[in-house]
Amino acid sequence: MQGANVLTKYLGAIFDLDGVLVDTAKYHYLAWKQLADRLNIPFTKEDNEQLKGVSRVKSLEILLSLGSKNYTENERKQFMDQKNETYVRYISHMDESEILPGVVELLNQLKRKKIKIALGSASKNSGLILKNTKLQDYFDAIVDGNDVSKAKPDPEVFLLGAKKIGIPANQCMVFEDAKAGIEAAKQAGMLAIGVGTQENLPNADILVKNLEEIELSEL
Ligand code: B16
Ligand code: MG
């Protein structure tokens, strides 16, 4: 496929983290799977697709809905803490080799064109991931699950990102791999660039398989 041309009338670029910059979905899966096995809940890689891009609380809700038992709020909190401990153990071993194709090249191009760069992720672990992959210095602003109260598809995370880099929403482009994230970008009035397949992201304004396909061009 030919590269997707993104006109540089966009002065801000907001990146989702998991599935766009790095592939942490496999670690989320392993950590949720460990919990599911313990609770005797059947949980497959296909089930895990539904968890991409959604918050930790919502992910647990989806996982528990695959079983038949009800749990108290306290138990649910413990489950989330245990899953997160397992997940953090996995991501503490990450390094630059886990950055997805085309990411560093695109970030460098954006920097050269003086386009402001923000992170807009649902994850509360973005700090550790950015540190371990040495991506943190590319970002002018970081907004993640610790900063927002409303999860994607609510546009809060992207609107806050735009505010922090000082660029109006309609001049921001968002790179997202999850359906909820594409909805959030569109609700924020931003250009929604989907990283994935037409089947998974039918509403993206532009669709690429990975960031290698993005070409920035001057107006
Ligand atoms: P945590 P993103 C999302 O990150 C993940 O895609 C999603 O699977 C995860 O449940 C969510 O972060 C919360 O992550 O448990 O680390 O806070 O795609 O928005 O960068
Ligand atoms: Mg994602």
Side-chain angles (χ1 to χ4, degrees):
M1 182 185 159
Q2 280 297 302
N5 261 322
V6 176
L7 302 180
T8 46
K9 69 172 184 185
Y10 293 96
L11 301 177
I14 307 182
F15 288 87
D16 173 58
L17 178 63
D18 295 339
V20 171
L21 302 177
V22 287
D23 177 19
T24 37
K26 56 180 186 263
Y27 300 131
H28 280 296
Y29 170 69
L30 290 170
W32 283 124
K33 176 74 181 153
Q34 195 166 310
L35 176 71
D37 286 351
R38 207 159 50 74
L39 301 176
N40 280 320
I41 294 175
F43 181 65
T44 64
K45 282 195 172 154
E46 286 67 46
D47 296 325
N48 190 57
E49 287 301 304
Q50 297 176 57
L51 272 46
K52 286 187 178 174
V54 305
S55 68
R56 198 180 303 171
V57 180
K58 180 79 189 157
S59 297
L60 179 70
E61 217 174 89
I62 296 171
L63 186 136
L64 294 182
S65 74
L66 300 170
S68 48
K69 272 185 80 178
N70 288 322
Y71 295 94
T72 64
E73 208 170 317
N74 199 23
E75 285 171 319
R76 287 165 178 256
K77 166 130 192 5
Q78 279 178 24
F79 295 158
M80 283 195 292
D81 289 348
Q82 287 158 2
K83 181 269 171 179
N84 195 51
E85 271 172 36
T86 316
Y87 178 67
V88 168
R89 265 202 302 278
Y90 283 116
I91 60 171
S92 15
H93 298 291
M94 285 180 82
D95 62 24
E96 295 119 293
S97 67
E98 297 199 51
I99 299 172
L100 289 170
V103 168
V104 171
E105 294 76 5
L106 178 59
L107 290 171
N108 280 321
Q109 275 192 67
L110 292 167
K111 282 260 164 241
R112 277 198 296 277
K113 289 183 186 295
K114 309 252 181 292
I115 294 171
K116 294 276 185 205
I117 305 173
L119 187 82
S121 166
S123 177
K124 292 187 172 171
N125 294 297
S126 77
L128 180 59
I129 298 168
L130 292 181
K131 178 172 163 271
N132 285 356
T133 52
K134 301 197 167 48
L135 285 173
Q136 60 193 5
D137 290 345
Y138 284 102
F139 292 88
D140 299 295
I142 289 174
V143 181
D144 74 6
N146 297 297
D147 306 305
V148 294
S149 56
K150 286 170 262 163
K152 301 169 189 176
D154 190 282
E156 184 183 12
V157 66
F158 295 139
L159 290 172
L160 186 56
K163 191 173 168 202
K164 280 198 174 188
I165 54 177
I167 306 287
N170 64 1
Q171 287 175 14
C172 287
M173 47 189 162
V174 169
F175 296 87
E176 250 295 347
D177 72 314
K179 203 171 172 191
I182 294 292
E183 301 313 321
K186 298 199 85 153
Q187 276 200 53
M190 301 176 180
L191 180 75
I193 304 175
V195 184
T197 62
Q198 175 69 29
E199 197 191 342
N200 290 341
L201 306 173
N203 296 329
D205 296 316
I206 293 177
L207 188 67
V208 291
K209 278 206 293 291
N210 61 44
L211 295 187
E212 271 178 328
E213 288 179 6
I214 302 283
E215 281 170 19
L216 300 177
S217 60
E218 298 291 351
L219 268 177

